[in-house]
Amino acid sequence: SCVIVYSAKPLSQFSFEAKTAIEKNEIHAVAFFSKRSAELFMEIVEREQLEAALSALKALCISQSVLECVQPALWECVYVSKTPDREAMVSLVKSICMDI
């Protein structure tokens, strides 16, 4: 038998709170652990016309291929973890958040 232990459903839009926080520069960084999450995030950003708000945000990416999905020129800064795994991403997030 098969047991589903994890399921993720993509959002079609940001919550009101998330959109407001992005617009008011209350969010400083966004972590992307997969190409799919980066692609979905960018689709919503485009749909909700939030591209300009990205210039105040840092993009933290698990790999170079994820970085390519987030349109690096739109962001204040972009970072890629040393290795494409959870441990390296957690280390990246901690190092960047210490500077915020």
Side-chain angles (χ1 to χ4, degrees):
S1 78
C2 178
V3 177
I4 298 173
V5 295
Y6 176 80
S7 177
K9 297 179 182 175
L11 298 175
S12 60
Q13 63 186 38
F14 293 127
S15 68
F16 173 79
E17 294 81 9
K19 183 177 180 182
T20 301
I22 291 170
E23 291 172 330
K24 292 183 175 185
N25 298 325
E26 296 173 347
I27 295 175
H28 302 286
V30 181
F32 297 103
F33 282 77
S34 72
K35 284 180 68 172
R36 184 72 179 133
S37 65
E39 291 166 347
L40 290 170
F41 182 90
M42 294 307 294
E43 286 174 16
I44 296 171
V45 163
E46 185 177 325
R47 190 177 312 120
E48 298 196 6
Q49 300 177 340
L50 294 170
E51 293 95 336
L54 297 183
S55 67
L57 294 171
K58 295 169 179 57
L60 314 178
C61 304
I62 196 166
S63 68
Q64 188 66 35
S65 62
V66 172
L67 175 68
E68 293 166 7
C69 295
V70 299
Q71 301 175 32
L74 297 177
W75 299 78
E76 176 187 355
C77 295
V78 292
Y79 301 87
V80 177
S81 64
K82 291 180 183 178
T83 55
D85 55 51
R86 182 184 176 280
E87 185 177 323
M89 269 300 283
V90 169
S91 178
L92 175 62
V93 170
K94 285 180 180 178
S95 70
I96 298 304
C97 289
M98 287 176 60
D99 293 336
I100 296 176

XYZ file of all heavy atoms in Angstrom:
777
model
N 0.832 -1.188 0.000
C 0.000 0.000 0.000
C 0.876 1.250 0.000
O 2.034 1.211 0.356
C -0.944 -0.014 1.190
O -0.286 0.356 2.368
N 0.290 2.347 -0.387
C 0.999 3.622 -0.512
C 0.408 4.615 0.485
O -0.808 4.739 0.605
C 0.839 4.149 -1.932
S 1.631 5.727 -2.189
N 1.266 5.324 1.188
C 0.841 6.335 2.135
C 1.450 7.672 1.716
O 2.657 7.778 1.539
C 1.302 5.989 3.572
C 0.906 7.101 4.532
C 0.738 4.665 4.018
N 0.612 8.655 1.534
C 1.086 9.994 1.176
C 1.468 10.706 2.474
O 0.637 10.886 3.362
C 0.010 10.781 0.414
C -0.326 10.077 -0.897
C 0.472 12.219 0.176
C -1.487 10.683 -1.647
N 2.730 11.082 2.569
C 3.197 11.754 3.787
C 3.456 13.241 3.568
O 3.693 13.978 4.502
C 4.474 11.078 4.346
C 4.170 9.674 4.806
C 5.591 11.102 3.326
N 3.412 13.669 2.317
C 3.669 15.072 2.012
C 2.918 15.431 0.756
O 2.936 14.697 -0.227
C 5.169 15.306 1.810
C 5.519 16.716 1.396
C 5.581 17.739 2.325
C 5.789 17.023 0.071
C 5.904 19.035 1.954
C 6.123 18.311 -0.310
C 6.177 19.311 0.634
O 6.491 20.590 0.257
N 2.279 16.572 0.781
C 1.567 17.053 -0.395
C 1.663 18.571 -0.425
O 1.536 19.225 0.611
C 0.105 16.619 -0.329
O -0.614 17.132 -1.419
N 1.910 19.114 -1.598
C 1.986 20.569 -1.749
C 1.065 20.995 -2.879
O 1.093 20.411 -3.957
C 3.417 20.988 -2.047
N 0.266 21.989 -2.603
C -0.637 22.509 -3.612
C -0.231 23.936 -3.935
O -0.098 24.764 -3.035
C -2.079 22.464 -3.100
C -2.568 21.061 -2.837
C -3.972 21.060 -2.313
C -4.382 19.625 -2.011
N -5.687 19.556 -1.402
N -0.016 24.229 -5.215
C 0.411 25.583 -5.585
C -0.694 26.607 -5.361
O -1.882 26.319 -5.529
C 0.753 25.457 -7.067
C 0.001 24.266 -7.545
C -0.141 23.349 -6.358
N -0.303 27.795 -4.958
C -1.234 28.900 -4.791
C -1.367 29.638 -6.109
O -0.439 29.669 -6.904
C -0.721 29.870 -3.729
C -0.564 29.338 -2.319
C 0.081 30.403 -1.430
C -1.902 28.932 -1.747
N -2.498 30.261 -6.313
C -2.685 31.057 -7.527
C -2.482 32.539 -7.240
O -2.398 33.346 -8.160
C -4.074 30.815 -8.112
O -5.067 31.173 -7.164
N -2.422 32.887 -5.952
C -2.189 34.275 -5.571
C -1.624 34.317 -4.162
O -1.719 33.353 -3.409
C -3.474 35.088 -5.632
C -4.542 34.613 -4.644
C -5.855 35.355 -4.824
O -6.247 35.649 -5.947
N -6.523 35.655 -3.737
N -1.019 35.453 -3.807
C -0.541 35.651 -2.450
C -1.726 35.994 -1.558
O -2.711 36.578 -2.020
C 0.468 36.807 -2.385
C 1.767 36.537 -3.091
C 2.246 37.415 -4.040
C 2.517 35.420 -2.801
C 3.448 37.190 -4.680
C 3.724 35.176 -3.435
C 4.184 36.050 -4.384
N -1.600 35.694 -0.287
C -2.612 36.152 0.659
C -2.540 37.679 0.714
O -1.525 38.287 0.343
C -2.355 35.566 2.049
O -1.156 36.120 2.588
N -3.591 38.301 1.202
C -3.607 39.758 1.348
C -2.434 40.200 2.214
O -1.744 41.174 1.902
C -4.935 40.218 1.961
C -4.954 41.680 2.303
C -5.156 42.632 1.312
C -4.743 42.106 3.606
C -5.156 43.986 1.618
C -4.741 43.451 3.919
C -4.957 44.399 2.929
N -2.191 39.458 3.312
C -1.121 39.806 4.239
C 0.261 39.711 3.575
O 1.106 40.589 3.754
C -1.168 38.902 5.478
C -2.392 39.087 6.343
C -3.644 38.350 5.831
O -3.548 37.549 4.883
O -4.724 38.597 6.385
N 0.475 38.649 2.802
C 1.767 38.468 2.133
C 1.988 39.549 1.077
O 3.074 40.145 1.002
C 1.852 37.093 1.495
N 0.972 39.823 0.293
C 1.094 40.854 -0.744
C 1.388 42.216 -0.115
O 2.266 42.947 -0.570
C -0.178 40.919 -1.591
C -0.083 41.915 -2.721
C -1.316 41.908 -3.601
C -1.159 42.937 -4.716
N -2.336 43.014 -5.571
N 0.679 42.545 0.946
C 0.892 43.815 1.641
C 2.298 43.893 2.207
O 2.972 44.934 2.102
C -0.157 43.995 2.756
O -1.464 43.967 2.170
C 0.034 45.313 3.490
N 2.775 42.810 2.803
C 4.126 42.782 3.377
C 5.188 42.977 2.296
O 6.182 43.674 2.512
C 4.351 41.473 4.124
N 4.981 42.386 1.131
C 5.924 42.565 0.016
C 5.895 44.022 -0.450
O 6.939 44.652 -0.616
C 5.595 41.608 -1.144
C 5.893 40.162 -0.730
C 6.376 41.987 -2.407
C 5.377 39.110 -1.708
N 4.714 44.564 -0.619
C 4.578 45.950 -1.098
C 5.162 46.973 -0.114
O 5.693 47.992 -0.526
C 3.100 46.268 -1.340
C 2.510 45.535 -2.515
C 1.009 45.689 -2.645
O 0.309 45.860 -1.620
O 0.525 45.619 -3.781
N 5.076 46.691 1.183
C 5.559 47.619 2.210
C 6.998 47.326 2.636
O 7.469 47.885 3.624
C 4.640 47.566 3.431
C 3.259 48.130 3.174
C 2.438 48.119 4.440
C 1.102 48.801 4.203
N 0.335 48.906 5.460
N 7.671 46.444 1.918
C 9.065 46.072 2.226
C 9.225 45.511 3.637
O 10.235 45.736 4.292
C 10.014 47.245 2.013
C 10.020 47.710 0.581
O 9.893 46.916 -0.345
N 10.142 49.002 0.386
N 8.227 44.797 4.106
C 8.286 44.169 5.426
C 8.928 42.786 5.362
O 9.250 42.211 6.394
C 6.887 44.077 6.033
C 6.274 45.437 6.295
C 4.821 45.404 6.743
O 4.171 44.350 6.643
O 4.337 46.458 7.180
N 9.096 42.274 4.173
C 9.786 41.004 3.960
C 11.149 41.351 3.371
O 11.247 42.171 2.464
C 8.982 40.087 3.008
C 7.663 39.701 3.654
C 9.796 38.854 2.627
C 6.741 38.905 2.758
N 12.196 40.728 3.882
C 13.540 41.081 3.440
C 14.184 40.032 2.540
O 15.096 40.357 1.782
C 14.434 41.346 4.649
C 13.896 42.424 5.531
N 13.945 43.755 5.197
C 13.258 42.364 6.714
C 13.368 44.473 6.149
N 12.941 43.658 7.081
N 13.706 38.788 2.650
C 14.314 37.711 1.856
C 13.280 36.618 1.610
O 12.362 36.422 2.403
C 15.521 37.127 2.594
N 13.479 35.917 0.494
C 12.622 34.785 0.142
C 13.534 33.604 -0.170
O 14.479 33.735 -0.955
C 11.734 35.108 -1.084
C 10.841 33.918 -1.416
C 10.902 36.360 -0.842
N 13.263 32.465 0.462
C 14.066 31.257 0.251
C 13.363 30.335 -0.740
O 12.171 30.064 -0.598
C 14.294 30.531 1.577
N 14.116 29.880 -1.722
C 13.582 28.980 -2.742
C 14.324 27.652 -2.673
O 15.506 27.580 -2.973
C 13.741 29.596 -4.138
C 12.969 30.875 -4.314
C 13.615 32.100 -4.277
C 11.606 30.855 -4.501
C 12.920 33.288 -4.432
C 10.885 32.030 -4.648
C 11.545 33.257 -4.620
N 13.598 26.608 -2.295
C 14.176 25.280 -2.151
C 13.984 24.422 -3.403
O 14.467 23.302 -3.452
C 13.567 24.560 -0.944
C 14.134 25.020 0.373
C 13.743 26.211 0.952
C 15.070 24.242 1.035
C 14.264 26.630 2.160
C 15.607 24.646 2.251
C 15.197 25.844 2.810
N 13.259 24.938 -4.403
C 13.052 24.166 -5.631
C 12.764 25.089 -6.807
O 12.329 26.231 -6.628
C 11.873 23.193 -5.461
O 10.644 23.900 -5.446
N 13.014 24.558 -8.011
C 12.695 25.306 -9.225
C 11.200 25.581 -9.291
O 10.773 26.665 -9.657
C 13.135 24.526 -10.468
C 14.613 24.566 -10.730
C 14.976 23.786 -11.970
C 14.436 24.487 -13.198
N 14.908 23.875 -14.461
N 10.416 24.578 -8.913
C 8.955 24.721 -8.998
C 8.457 25.851 -8.099
O 7.635 26.661 -8.507
C 8.269 23.400 -8.648
C 6.777 23.427 -8.810
C 6.394 23.457 -10.279
N 4.955 23.461 -10.410
C 4.285 24.272 -11.207
N 4.918 25.111 -11.990
N 2.986 24.232 -11.267
N 8.970 25.925 -6.870
C 8.521 27.002 -5.978
C 8.963 28.365 -6.515
O 8.212 29.342 -6.441
C 9.022 26.782 -4.550
O 10.423 26.858 -4.492
N 10.145 28.437 -7.096
C 10.622 29.695 -7.682
C 9.751 30.100 -8.867
O 9.371 31.266 -9.003
C 12.079 29.558 -8.109
N 9.446 29.145 -9.729
C 8.602 29.434 -10.896
C 7.211 29.902 -10.470
O 6.690 30.885 -11.009
C 8.493 28.195 -11.783
C 9.782 27.839 -12.480
C 9.778 26.445 -13.092
O 8.884 25.629 -12.782
O 10.693 26.179 -13.886
N 6.619 29.219 -9.499
C 5.283 29.601 -9.029
C 5.299 30.984 -8.378
O 4.402 31.797 -8.617
C 4.743 28.561 -8.051
C 4.379 27.210 -8.665
C 4.090 26.188 -7.578
C 3.179 27.357 -9.591
N 6.311 31.248 -7.575
C 6.435 32.555 -6.944
C 6.503 33.646 -8.003
O 5.795 34.658 -7.923
C 7.678 32.587 -6.044
C 7.860 33.882 -5.307
C 7.300 34.070 -4.050
C 8.604 34.928 -5.864
C 7.470 35.262 -3.364
C 8.782 36.122 -5.182
C 8.209 36.297 -3.927
N 7.342 33.445 -9.000
C 7.507 34.456 -10.036
C 6.239 34.624 -10.880
O 5.929 35.743 -11.313
C 8.716 34.124 -10.910
C 10.051 34.207 -10.169
S 10.350 35.779 -9.315
C 10.458 36.913 -10.718
N 5.506 33.558 -11.107
C 4.230 33.670 -11.825
C 3.257 34.554 -11.062
O 2.583 35.406 -11.645
C 3.612 32.285 -12.038
C 4.299 31.455 -13.092
C 3.758 30.034 -13.168
O 2.667 29.756 -12.631
O 4.448 29.185 -13.776
N 3.183 34.355 -9.741
C 2.289 35.167 -8.926
C 2.774 36.616 -8.879
O 1.975 37.552 -8.982
C 2.137 34.582 -7.508
C 1.477 33.203 -7.581
C 1.306 35.511 -6.624
C 1.475 32.438 -6.272
N 4.076 36.821 -8.741
C 4.636 38.183 -8.747
C 4.231 38.906 -10.028
O 3.796 40.059 -9.990
C 6.180 38.139 -8.597
C 6.813 39.455 -9.017
C 6.570 37.789 -7.173
N 4.364 38.232 -11.147
C 3.998 38.849 -12.426
C 2.497 39.115 -12.497
O 2.082 40.213 -12.875
C 4.419 37.944 -13.580
C 4.177 38.561 -14.931
C 4.668 37.684 -16.070
O 5.701 37.005 -15.905
O 4.004 37.687 -17.123
N 1.706 38.125 -12.119
C 0.246 38.266 -12.169
C -0.223 39.424 -11.286
O -1.145 40.155 -11.639
C -0.416 36.958 -11.728
C -1.902 36.908 -11.954
C -2.525 35.563 -11.584
N -1.797 34.447 -12.138
C -1.214 33.461 -11.404
N -1.282 33.480 -10.094
N -0.562 32.483 -11.981
N 0.410 39.592 -10.134
C -0.012 40.630 -9.187
C 0.791 41.928 -9.345
O 0.670 42.835 -8.534
C 0.065 40.078 -7.763
C -0.877 38.895 -7.591
C -1.170 38.520 -6.151
O -0.741 39.244 -5.232
O -1.845 37.509 -5.951
N 1.611 41.973 -10.388
C 2.387 43.166 -10.744
C 3.238 43.671 -9.577
O 3.236 44.857 -9.232
C 1.463 44.266 -11.261
C 0.694 43.833 -12.493
C -0.277 44.872 -12.991
O -0.672 45.775 -12.267
N -0.673 44.744 -14.247
N 4.022 42.756 -9.004
C 4.877 43.082 -7.873
C 6.360 43.083 -8.226
O 7.210 43.106 -7.335
C 4.633 42.079 -6.730
C 3.259 42.118 -6.071
C 3.073 40.939 -5.141
C 3.090 43.435 -5.326
N 6.687 43.069 -9.509
C 8.087 42.998 -9.928
C 8.939 44.096 -9.291
O 10.047 43.846 -8.835
C 8.222 43.061 -11.452
C 7.666 41.870 -12.187
C 6.235 42.060 -12.664
O 5.490 42.893 -12.080
O 5.846 41.386 -13.628
N 8.427 45.309 -9.237
C 9.199 46.430 -8.688
C 9.532 46.217 -7.216
O 10.597 46.636 -6.752
C 8.439 47.740 -8.880
N 8.671 45.549 -6.486
C 8.896 45.317 -5.056
C 10.059 44.365 -4.801
O 10.659 44.380 -3.724
C 7.624 44.775 -4.404
N 10.408 43.554 -5.794
C 11.512 42.602 -5.616
C 12.850 43.312 -5.444
O 13.784 42.750 -4.867
C 11.587 41.637 -6.797
C 10.380 40.723 -7.022
C 10.641 39.787 -8.184
C 10.015 39.949 -5.771
N 12.959 44.541 -5.900
C 14.231 45.269 -5.806
C 14.652 45.545 -4.364
O 15.790 45.942 -4.119
C 14.156 46.574 -6.592
O 13.234 47.457 -5.981
N 13.754 45.322 -3.419
C 14.085 45.498 -2.005
C 14.240 44.158 -1.289
O 14.402 44.121 -0.076
C 12.998 46.323 -1.315
N 14.190 43.063 -2.045
C 14.242 41.716 -1.461
C 15.489 40.955 -1.887
O 16.037 41.189 -2.958
C 13.024 40.895 -1.915
C 11.657 41.349 -1.438
C 10.573 40.568 -2.155
C 11.540 41.153 0.059
N 15.878 40.010 -1.047
C 16.974 39.098 -1.363
C 16.372 37.746 -1.738
O 15.439 37.284 -1.091
C 17.895 38.944 -0.155
C 18.608 40.222 0.230
C 19.282 40.077 1.580
C 20.029 41.326 1.978
N 19.249 42.540 2.037
N 16.893 37.121 -2.768
C 16.465 35.781 -3.179
C 17.533 34.785 -2.736
O 18.702 34.927 -3.102
C 16.274 35.706 -4.693
N 17.128 33.786 -1.950
C 18.034 32.759 -1.457
C 17.679 31.456 -2.166
O 16.596 30.923 -1.969
C 17.895 32.598 0.054
C 17.863 33.900 0.865
C 17.682 33.614 2.341
C 19.103 34.720 0.614
N 18.577 30.966 -2.994
C 18.280 29.833 -3.879
C 19.138 28.619 -3.540
O 20.323 28.742 -3.266
C 18.515 30.227 -5.334
S 17.560 31.680 -5.835
N 18.530 27.453 -3.632
C 19.225 26.218 -3.305
C 20.214 25.788 -4.386
O 21.144 25.040 -4.117
C 18.222 25.089 -2.988
C 18.922 23.937 -2.269
C 17.492 24.627 -4.250
C 17.987 22.944 -1.612
N 20.045 26.285 -5.615
C 20.945 25.892 -6.700
C 20.963 26.967 -7.786
O 20.106 27.851 -7.827
C 20.490 24.557 -7.308
O 19.252 24.728 -7.986
N 21.920 26.835 -8.673
C 22.027 27.764 -9.801
C 20.794 27.674 -10.701
O 20.313 28.688 -11.202
C 23.300 27.455 -10.609
C 23.599 28.464 -11.683
C 23.955 29.840 -11.141
O 24.579 29.971 -10.101
N 23.543 30.872 -11.863
N 20.250 26.471 -10.894
C 19.068 26.323 -11.750
C 17.852 27.004 -11.134
O 17.005 27.537 -11.854
C 18.781 24.856 -12.047
O 18.492 24.143 -10.870
N 17.765 27.026 -9.811
C 16.685 27.754 -9.145
C 16.905 29.254 -9.317
O 15.974 30.000 -9.607
C 16.588 27.359 -7.654
C 15.608 28.255 -6.917
C 16.181 25.896 -7.514
N 18.140 29.693 -9.168
C 18.470 31.104 -9.355
C 18.004 31.602 -10.722
O 17.460 32.697 -10.845
C 19.978 31.317 -9.195
C 20.487 32.723 -9.487
C 20.001 33.710 -8.439
C 21.994 32.731 -9.567
N 18.199 30.811 -11.751
C 17.808 31.200 -13.098
C 16.304 31.401 -13.228
O 15.851 32.158 -14.091
C 18.308 30.164 -14.097
C 19.826 30.140 -14.191
C 20.378 28.918 -14.901
O 19.597 28.115 -15.455
O 21.617 28.764 -14.903
N 15.517 30.782 -12.365
C 14.054 30.900 -12.418
C 13.533 32.201 -11.817
O 12.409 32.587 -12.090
C 13.398 29.737 -11.678
S 13.686 28.132 -12.411
N 14.338 32.854 -10.984
C 13.833 34.022 -10.257
C 14.143 35.367 -10.915
O 13.857 36.409 -10.340
C 14.312 34.038 -8.774
C 13.826 32.822 -8.031
C 15.811 34.200 -8.672
N 14.713 35.358 -12.096
C 15.056 36.588 -12.801
C 15.926 37.484 -11.911
O 15.484 38.511 -11.394
C 13.797 37.321 -13.253
C 12.911 36.498 -14.171
C 11.618 37.209 -14.501
O 11.554 38.416 -14.585
N 10.571 36.427 -14.694
N 17.187 37.098 -11.708
C 18.079 37.748 -10.748
C 18.154 39.274 -10.827
O 18.302 39.935 -9.800
C 19.439 37.125 -11.057
C 19.116 35.796 -11.646
C 17.846 35.990 -12.408
N 18.027 39.852 -11.994
C 18.154 41.308 -12.137
C 17.056 42.078 -11.405
O 17.222 43.260 -11.105
C 18.153 41.690 -13.613
N 15.958 41.419 -11.084
C 14.844 42.093 -10.412
C 15.064 42.281 -8.915
O 14.401 43.106 -8.291
C 13.545 41.299 -10.619
C 13.030 41.160 -12.049
C 11.788 40.279 -12.069
C 12.716 42.530 -12.635
N 15.975 41.521 -8.333
C 16.149 41.472 -6.885
C 17.253 42.415 -6.399
O 18.176 42.734 -7.144
C 16.485 40.046 -6.466
C 15.413 39.059 -6.811
C 15.170 38.520 -8.040
C 14.440 38.507 -5.941
N 14.103 37.655 -7.977
C 13.640 37.632 -6.697
C 14.169 38.662 -4.582
C 12.577 36.916 -6.148
C 13.121 37.934 -4.034
C 12.331 37.084 -4.814
N 17.177 42.783 -5.112
C 18.255 43.571 -4.504
C 19.552 42.778 -4.554
O 20.585 43.286 -4.975
C 17.913 43.910 -3.054
C 19.022 44.628 -2.331
C 18.749 44.820 -0.855
O 17.655 44.479 -0.363
O 19.652 45.326 -0.179
N 19.507 41.521 -4.110
C 20.650 40.608 -4.125
C 20.124 39.192 -4.311
O 19.003 38.887 -3.903
C 21.412 40.635 -2.799
S 22.201 42.189 -2.410
N 20.946 38.356 -4.914
C 20.601 36.944 -5.041
C 21.758 36.103 -4.508
O 22.919 36.479 -4.638
C 20.265 36.551 -6.498
C 18.977 37.212 -6.956
C 21.405 36.900 -7.447
N 21.420 34.977 -3.904
C 22.410 34.097 -3.310
C 22.091 32.657 -3.683
O 20.925 32.297 -3.846
C 22.384 34.202 -1.778
C 22.644 35.594 -1.263
C 21.600 36.504 -1.109
C 23.926 35.992 -0.925
C 21.839 37.780 -0.636
C 24.168 37.277 -0.448
C 23.120 38.163 -0.300
O 23.351 39.430 0.175
N 23.132 31.843 -3.783
C 22.967 30.411 -4.050
C 23.711 29.668 -2.946
O 24.851 30.012 -2.612
C 23.544 30.016 -5.429
C 23.421 28.521 -5.660
C 22.834 30.784 -6.536
N 23.075 28.651 -2.390
C 23.717 27.884 -1.329
C 24.943 27.149 -1.876
O 25.031 26.867 -3.072
C 22.738 26.902 -0.689
O 22.319 25.934 -1.605
N 25.899 26.854 -0.987
C 27.155 26.224 -1.402
C 26.929 24.867 -2.049
O 27.630 24.503 -2.995
C 28.088 26.081 -0.203
C 28.611 27.407 0.293
C 29.534 27.242 1.474
C 29.974 28.610 1.962
N 30.825 28.520 3.142
N 25.970 24.122 -1.527
C 25.598 22.827 -2.106
C 24.073 22.762 -2.148
O 23.402 23.409 -1.339
C 26.154 21.640 -1.276
O 25.715 21.782 0.084
C 27.674 21.592 -1.320
N 23.521 22.007 -3.079
C 22.057 21.981 -3.238
C 21.366 21.021 -2.255
O 20.752 20.030 -2.642
C 21.873 21.528 -4.686
C 23.060 20.663 -4.947
C 24.190 21.279 -4.157
N 21.468 21.335 -0.970
C 20.826 20.491 0.038
C 20.297 21.352 1.181
O 20.605 22.536 1.292
C 21.804 19.425 0.566
C 23.089 20.006 1.101
O 23.038 20.933 1.944
O 24.163 19.548 0.679
N 19.489 20.730 2.006
C 18.822 21.427 3.111
C 19.835 22.089 4.049
O 19.667 23.242 4.451
C 17.940 20.449 3.874
C 17.169 21.074 5.007
C 16.381 20.011 5.788
N 15.712 20.577 6.914
C 16.295 20.863 8.095
N 17.567 20.628 8.264
N 15.595 21.381 9.073
N 20.858 21.372 4.416
C 21.842 21.889 5.369
C 22.493 23.186 4.868
O 22.617 24.164 5.608
C 22.917 20.840 5.645
C 23.912 21.250 6.707
C 24.909 20.142 7.000
O 24.540 18.958 7.000
O 26.082 20.502 7.235
N 22.883 23.198 3.616
C 23.513 24.396 3.046
C 22.517 25.552 2.941
O 22.888 26.715 3.158
C 24.112 24.076 1.682
N 21.273 25.240 2.622
C 20.255 26.295 2.548
C 19.985 26.888 3.920
O 19.867 28.111 4.062
C 18.953 25.754 1.953
C 18.859 25.892 0.454
S 18.947 27.597 -0.152
C 17.307 28.201 0.207
N 19.885 26.048 4.930
C 19.661 26.552 6.287
C 20.820 27.454 6.694
O 20.622 28.524 7.274
C 19.461 25.387 7.286
C 19.494 25.881 8.728
C 18.147 24.667 7.000
N 22.025 27.054 6.357
C 23.204 27.866 6.650
C 23.136 29.212 5.922
O 23.440 30.261 6.513
C 24.466 27.101 6.238
O 25.600 27.868 6.475
N 22.734 29.194 4.661
C 22.597 30.436 3.888
C 21.550 31.343 4.508
O 21.782 32.545 4.699
C 22.249 30.115 2.436
C 21.955 31.321 1.533
C 23.172 32.224 1.409
C 21.492 30.841 0.158
N 20.395 30.779 4.819
C 19.313 31.577 5.418
C 19.789 32.204 6.728
O 19.578 33.404 6.958
C 18.045 30.717 5.624
C 17.019 31.460 6.472
C 17.436 30.313 4.285
N 20.443 31.420 7.566
C 20.942 31.956 8.839
C 21.943 33.084 8.609
O 21.882 34.121 9.274
C 21.592 30.848 9.659
C 20.610 29.904 10.294
C 21.342 28.836 11.099
C 20.381 27.871 11.745
N 21.089 26.805 12.485
N 22.865 32.904 7.670
C 23.885 33.926 7.446
C 23.279 35.219 6.904
O 23.688 36.307 7.291
C 24.986 33.407 6.519
O 24.512 33.258 5.202
N 22.304 35.107 6.029
C 21.679 36.296 5.459
C 20.773 36.973 6.501
O 20.765 38.196 6.624
C 20.869 35.959 4.186
C 21.787 35.405 3.108
C 20.095 37.184 3.683
C 22.948 36.294 2.738
N 20.037 36.188 7.255
C 19.122 36.757 8.246
C 19.865 37.446 9.384
O 19.323 38.368 10.000
C 18.194 35.675 8.793
S 16.973 35.152 7.572
N 21.079 37.051 9.639
C 21.867 37.724 10.681
C 22.203 39.150 10.261
O 22.387 40.015 11.106
C 23.157 36.938 10.952
C 22.900 35.662 11.716
S 24.401 34.677 11.946
C 25.425 35.812 12.856
N 22.246 39.408 8.957
C 22.589 40.728 8.444
C 21.364 41.640 8.303
O 21.515 42.822 8.019
C 23.278 40.609 7.078
C 24.633 39.940 7.174
O 25.237 39.970 8.263
O 25.094 39.383 6.157
N 20.196 41.088 8.472
C 18.955 41.868 8.271
C 18.541 42.553 9.560
O 18.633 42.079 10.603
C 17.816 40.969 7.737
C 18.195 40.448 6.364
C 16.509 41.717 7.689
C 17.222 39.472 5.769
